[in-house]
Amino acid sequence: MSHQSLRVAISAHLLAPRGTGYRNAGNHTYIEQTLRRLPEADPELRLTLFARHAPAGLSGAIEQRSTRWPTGRPVLRIVWEQLRLPLAVRRFDVLHASAFV
């Protein structure tokens, strides 16, 4: 497989809308900054973001897929990660998940 076709799924359900307390701390900042800089680092990657709340102003190079699941609730996020995410990413080459159970 050539690098040009590398499909990267990014699980980012720990992203939260601005001003929602502790969820805007370390992991949120890491995910948000990764999303802002990864397209610049390698424009040939095919990036797809799985998140309930994506930060504003992301590169158009990142395809965004939202879920209707209320993944802000920890138990439902864990269920989503264990049951839905494996199905959603089976056609990707790489899964980047900064937090998982």
Side-chain angles (χ1 to χ4, degrees), residues 9-100:
I10 302 167
S11 178
H13 280 273
L14 287 181
L15 285 171
R18 282 282 167 218
T20 54
Y22 81 96
R23 297 278 312 265
N24 278 292
N27 211 3
H28 172 93
T29 301
Y30 167 78
I31 296 167
E32 185 174 9
Q33 293 303 313
T34 298
L35 293 172
R36 294 202 185 284
R37 292 185 172 51
L38 196 53
E40 298 169 9
D42 191 342
E44 295 181 3
L45 293 175
R46 292 175 46 198
L47 304 168
T48 302
L49 173 67
F50 291 88
R52 178 104 168 126
H53 303 283
L58 283 184
S59 166
I62 300 176
E63 177 186 349
Q64 297 179 38
R65 294 191 189 171
S66 185
T67 179
R68 288 184 226 145
W69 289 46
T71 54
R73 295 176 52 196
V75 171
L76 291 177
R77 180 181 55 81
I78 291 167
V79 171
W80 188 90
E81 287 175 348
Q82 296 298 308
L83 300 178
R84 181 66 184 104
L85 182 61
L87 297 173
V89 300
R90 66 179 179 242
R91 295 196 174 131
F92 287 84
D93 302 307
V94 175
L95 168 62
H96 176 71
S98 61
F100 53 88

